[in-house]
Amino acid sequence: MALMITDECINCDVCEPECPNEAISMGEDHYRIDPDRCTECVGHFDEPQCVQVCPVECIPVNPDRVESRETLMEKYLRLQRSGQAPVSGT
Ligand code: SF4
Ligand code: SF4
């Protein structure tokens, strides 16, 4: 699944630079996650990096984007191929 940021976000700016897929950006009122770019960190890390650093735990899974690990890996590979994501260092 892709993850999402709820309106409990306090705009602390911590998660945005941690995302290996550049999926996090500032929205109208708070940060948001582009579900087309979020792989739940599959392909880069074992755990979602944004969830690890968020101080208010406002990043649940997006119920509208139920995706298997295989689908997330395909998304990761697609982002890599398109040159729209930095190459993984791991
Ligand atoms: Fe980015 Fe990973 Fe968070 Fe998805 S789970 S938004 S890929 S840091
Ligand atoms: Fe919002 Fe959490 Fe990201 Fe901070 S780390 S900007 S509170 S989602």
Side-chain angles (χ1 to χ4, degrees), residues 1 18-21 37-49 68-81 85-90:
M1 296 190 216
E18 297 297 327
C19 179
N21 292 325
R37 299 189 66 88
C38 175
T39 64
E40 238 181 281
C41 284
V42 167
H44 292 281
F45 300 101
D46 290 338
E47 300 287 337
Q49 298 299 289
S68 68
R69 189 173 178 85
E70 288 71 29
T71 305
L72 291 169
M73 182 56 85
E74 285 167 15
K75 192 193 298 185
Y76 160 77
L77 293 172
R78 194 171 64 242
L79 286 167
Q80 295 294 314
R81 277 197 302 269
V87 176
S88 171
T90 57

Side-chain angles (χ1 to χ4, degrees), residues 1-5 19 21-25 32-41 60-67 71-72 74-76 78-79:
M1 296 190 216
L3 303 188
M4 59 181 284
I5 293 174
C19 179
N21 292 325
E22 297 178 357
I24 302 174
S25 62
R32 59 179 294 279
I33 292 173
D34 179 349
D36 290 330
R37 299 189 66 88
C38 175
T39 64
E40 238 181 281
C41 284
V61 293
N62 185 337
D64 293 331
R65 293 296 293 255
V66 179
E67 295 161 309
T71 305
L72 291 169
E74 285 167 15
K75 192 193 298 185
Y76 160 77
R78 194 171 64 242
L79 286 167

